[in-house]
Amino acid sequence: MWCYNIAIAIYAALIRFAALWNPKAKAWSEGRKDIFAAMRKAIGEGERVVWIHAASLGEFEQGRPIIERIKEEHPDYKILLTFFSPSGYEIRKDYKGADYIFYLPADTVSNVRKFLDIVKPEVAIFVKYEFWLNMLAELRRRKVRTFVVSAIFRRNSIFFRPYGAMWCRALETFETIFVQDDNSQKLLAELGFDNVVVAGDTRFDRVARIASSAKRVAVVEEFKGERPLFVAGSTWGPDEELLLQLVNDNPDIKFVIAPHEMEEARIRHILDSVKGGAVRYTQLEGVALEEKQVLVLDTIGILSSVYGSAKWSYIGGGFGVGIHNTLEAATFALPIAFGPNYLKFKEAVDMVSLGVATSVTNYEELKRWFEPLRDDAALLAEVSRAAKEYTSKHQGATDAIVRALFMSQ
């Protein structure tokens, strides 16, 4: 354990050093300054706290259905939401579903004890991963009911390596380990864990709720008019290069492109490269939308609703570390394309095997995927039906988890 503690200390020191020039490192470091004083001021004595930890934005989306269900069914509890990453905290720090939102302090023994002394959680929930050894050991020592939800375990994970014993010990903290698939349950059984429930992924519940409550975005409907719409969500530079070729080869189709990060140079490149004309969502005043082929969604918070106006979709990130959220598009019954780095995402692998989604590595592959779906209405209807059916039949994880959390009450 001493080597782990040294690694944590070195990591925190490196982040503080990188903060001198790196904006994300600076946000990570500054967000944790005076955090314990802020927590003491916010969290009242005697409050019944459910603590939910999400590494970043993707994990937050998995935890969100649980948060909202607890708030609906158990309003006597306060929800503490913590993030490790600035990309999660900065975007969701004003989320109204949680009572308190903070960064998670670095996982040192002293930080962990201060944190738990202040929070005194009745229940602790970790979303998907981030097994902080000191935190889990102290939760175990204090006998706090602790769970992990929407988890996935793979053969190459740290638990199955020669030095994985202390990580396996950390798993003993969890009262129940809620996993996404049967393979995870089998792997954990090899390690001797029988407190494993295959509940699935809570994001299916989240996107179903989005779809049921979504309203059409008036500006997007006006922009689309009577023409079919293609929506590309959370795109990066390599995605956009392929999409721009698709745009210019399909002048009769409207496109919404939502970059993952609002970099001015990339947005300008999109605007300048579209032959049929492009406009930014934040600069629509006085623009004749019917004359523009591309709408650049340079805002956040409405992409999920925009999918409801589309016939086809592309999800970015697959030429980088991994694709972004495919389920929001699938729940609106859209065929999906994305780049090659998708194998870490069970839902993407499932949808590729079902023919709902396709991975592409170049423009020719994107074109070969899109043109049959553009030209064959029966094929488009078949793939759309399969996409909706897949998301519908995987709902229910939130019910199973929340029941387990409060079954003793």
Side-chain angles (χ1 to χ4, degrees):
M1 193 70 175
W2 61 268
C3 56
Y4 173 82
N5 288 326
I6 291 173
I8 291 293
I10 292 172
Y11 179 83
L14 289 174
I15 289 288
R16 287 192 293 271
F17 178 65
L20 296 174
W21 70 88
N22 184 286
K24 287 187 177 180
K26 184 178 181 181
W28 189 99
S29 182
E30 291 190 348
R32 288 166 167 82
K33 286 181 179 177
D34 301 319
I35 190 170
F36 296 116
M39 290 174 63
R40 287 190 188 95
K41 183 177 180 180
I43 301 173
E45 277 292 329
E47 290 184 342
R48 306 184 72 186
V49 176
V50 174
W51 166 38
I52 298 180
H53 176 66
S56 191
L57 199 56
E59 292 73 34
F60 165 77
E61 290 299 327
Q62 290 175 303
R64 184 170 181 166
I66 298 170
I67 293 171
E68 293 175 354
R69 183 67 61 83
I70 292 172
K71 293 297 286 185
E72 289 171 3
E73 298 181 359
H74 302 275
D76 49 322
Y77 283 88
K78 298 290 188 179
I79 302 293
L80 166 66
L81 172 64
T82 59
F83 289 97
F84 180 78
S85 164
S87 60
Y89 176 83
E90 293 300 327
I91 292 175
R92 294 302 182 191
K93 62 186 177 183
D94 296 320
Y95 169 59
K96 302 303 182 186
D99 298 284
Y100 316 112
I101 303 175
F102 290 99
Y103 278 103
L104 183 69
D107 192 43
T108 65
V109 172
S110 61
N111 279 349
V112 163
R113 290 175 179 170
K114 289 176 185 176
F115 177 88
L116 293 177
D117 285 344
I118 296 167
V119 176
K120 298 182 178 66
E122 288 192 23
V123 177
I125 303 168
F126 290 76
V127 182
K128 194 173 183 179
Y129 55 65
E130 285 219 332
F131 304 105
W132 298 108
L133 299 189
N134 286 320
M135 180 63 76
L136 290 174
E138 188 65 15
L139 287 167
R140 191 164 61 246
R141 189 184 72 80
R142 297 186 186 210
K143 296 182 172 55
V144 176
R145 297 182 69 213
T146 305
F147 302 82
V148 61
V149 301
S150 293
I152 288 186
F153 293 83
R154 298 182 176 88
R155 177 69 66 185
N156 63 354
S157 67
I158 196 168
F159 306 99
F160 298 93
R161 295 177 184 176
Y163 49 86
M166 66 180 179
W167 300 92
C168 291
R169 171 66 171 157
L171 293 180
E172 295 176 9
T173 306
F174 299 115
E175 181 176 317
T176 306
I177 301 172
F178 292 98
V179 297
Q180 293 189 31
D181 57 11
D182 293 332
N183 185 60
S184 294
Q185 186 180 46
K186 291 174 183 176
L187 289 172
L188 287 168
E190 292 179 19
L191 297 174
F193 291 96
D194 58 6
N195 58 331
V196 181
V197 174
V198 182
D201 188 342
T202 52
R203 286 181 302 160
F204 286 96
D205 302 319
R206 169 66 184 151
V207 297
R209 189 163 186 165
I210 289 172
S212 66
S213 61
K215 296 178 181 179
R216 296 295 174 94
V217 179
V219 167
V220 173
E221 288 295 304
E222 181 184 351
F223 163 74
K224 169 188 163 185
E226 298 301 317
R227 291 158 69 180
L229 181 67
F230 186 116
V231 174
S234 300
T235 60
W236 294 83
D239 305 303
E240 290 152 13
E241 291 307 312
L242 302 187
L243 290 164
L244 286 170
Q245 294 179 70
L246 193 69
V247 168
N248 289 330
D249 282 351
N250 291 274
D252 294 329
I253 292 173
K254 294 274 192 161
F255 287 78
V256 169
I257 298 177
H260 184 69
E261 294 186 348
M262 309 302 170
E263 296 176 358
E264 193 62 31
R266 276 176 42 210
I267 292 175
R268 176 50 54 190
H269 176 63
I270 295 170
L271 297 174
D272 292 343
S273 300
V274 175
K275 295 177 183 177
V279 62
R280 300 168 68 143
Y281 181 85
T282 58
Q283 298 179 4
L284 294 177
E285 188 175 351
V287 175
L289 291 178
E290 69 276 5
E291 297 177 3
K292 303 296 183 182
Q293 188 189 1
V294 171
L295 174 62
V296 179
L297 208 63
D298 57 341
T299 186
I300 60 173
I302 65 170
L303 175 60
S304 57
S305 295
V306 173
Y307 285 125
S309 299
K311 286 191 173 184
W312 316 274
S313 66
Y314 180 99
I315 306 300
F319 289 93
V321 296
I323 58 173
H324 296 288
N325 190 342
T326 56
L327 292 179
E328 286 186 349
T331 198
F332 283 103
L334 301 184
I336 303 165
F338 41 69
N341 294 336
Y342 71 93
L343 294 176
K344 295 186 296 183
F345 304 90
K346 179 183 181 297
E347 67 279 5
V349 173
D350 288 347
M351 288 192 286
V352 168
S353 69
L354 292 169
V356 169
T358 297
S359 172
V360 300
T361 60
N362 55 51
Y363 177 61
E364 287 305 314
E365 292 178 0
L366 180 63
K367 184 178 177 181
R368 284 200 299 271
W369 164 78
F370 177 64
E371 289 183 347
L373 292 167
R374 179 195 65 190
D375 299 335
D376 187 339
L379 175 63
L380 175 61
E382 179 184 343
V383 175
S384 298
R385 178 197 56 76
K388 185 64 176 178
E389 184 177 88
Y390 173 72
T391 59
S392 296
K393 78 175 189 176
H394 284 86
Q395 295 167 25
T398 304
D399 289 338
I401 292 165
V402 174
R403 276 199 306 269
L405 296 179
F406 297 98
M407 64 187 301
S408 61
Q409 295 188 346

